[in-house]
Amino acid sequence: MFIDVDRFKLVNDSMGHDAGDELLRIVAKRLQYPIRKGDQLFRWGGDEFTVLLENVTDTNMVENMVRRIIDTLAEPIKLKEREVLVTTSVGIAMYSGEEDLNSVQLISNADAAMYRAKRAGRNGYKFYDSAMNDKAFERLTVETSFKQALRNGEFRLYYQPRLSVFSGKVTAVEALLRWQHPQHGLITPDKFIHLLEDSGLITEVGEWVLKSACKQLKKWQLAGMPSVRVSVNVSAKQLLFANIVDQVNRAISEANIDPHSLELEFAENLFVEDKKRVLQVMRQLKEIGVALSIDDFGFGYWPLSYLQSLPIDYIKISHEIVHGITENKGDLVTTRAIARLAHSMNIRLVAKGVENQGQVELLKKTCCHELQGYQVGKPSKPMQIPLIVAARDVPRVRKLALLQ
């Protein structure tokens, strides 16, 4: 059995290494209870353990033991006067003595099965089958491709403008990741972002996006483009597992931009992760001076008291809700409810996915502050953004006309 403590890194990063060490000691003690006398338990490394079972008569025996292991580790663990709940993912590989298999391959097979258990939702177990090695090889190939893409400069940033409902000017541009693949051409993030998340490389690529967007903003400013904010999406892994505060400070410092010209967007589902940690990091980011927004708002389950505690500047209504407001009364009612909530908390409201003039008119009536979508501006290359901003900056256009 290959045993991994789910989300151990979150405990280690949020509560400190002492708490992480204590958690591993408790896990090691608990793992001894379900196994039989004569079975061997090892700490493999980090938060991974292995159990070697001999004289196994059938898979039912193994399954019963695995369930006991999972149940034992699911009991609350007290760390630093706080109760912590952890789960575990277990991979199982069997060896009858007849296969052409060595000990290294057996452990590798159990590891592959453990990874499959994690992908299935954690807090469970999987038996190894040969197709798992193909998946592991595919995962390795994908990770190698991403690392090469980062090293070879294949990632690109496009920028989509956000317009003020009242002035019609561009207020911000959102940095959107693209992959200029040497064989497959330009690839949009819906095709690969989940693979970046799974591989863990989202933190490295996310930092590249942050730095690149800040540097691009500085280039625009030096070229004389009217002041706009640049917004960058931040993933759950960046916020919870990477030192995002240091990353933001470095990106701002290296680009030499005003912190108030940077906006960070967080997906709504992020806030079900570790509320205390999320709130702590957000407050630190606000101290730097950056703006914060919740992206794709409208489908989560939010305690109002928690939302009120977040230092949020913007709420971006999900494009799925905006898409239906002209035809679906429920979506329009939802949009109006979100608008009332945002206004009562002095939070600016942004509608994304705006695709037609009918949606624009309804969103104006709901007192939405800003609009984003193909109706008001498509994702564009960096060189095109100054032209788009200038075209929307009516007073500046008139002034330029007078000077000619």
Side-chain angles (χ1 to χ4, degrees), residues 159 211-226 254-257 382-383 385-386:
Y159 297 87
K211 287 184 175 181
S212 299
C214 289
K215 288 176 182 176
Q216 182 60 64
L217 179 62
K218 186 63 176 181
K219 288 179 183 178
W220 287 328
Q221 292 173 347
L222 292 174
M225 189 178 86
E254 290 175 10
N256 191 26
I257 62 170
M383 66 182 71
I385 294 300

Side-chain angles (χ1 to χ4, degrees), residues 36-40 51-57 61 65:
R36 305 167 303 176
K37 185 176 181 180
D39 293 334
Q40 300 178 64
V51 177
L52 178 61
L53 310 176
E54 296 186 85
N55 302 317
V56 174
T57 55
M61 178 192 295
M65 185 179 294

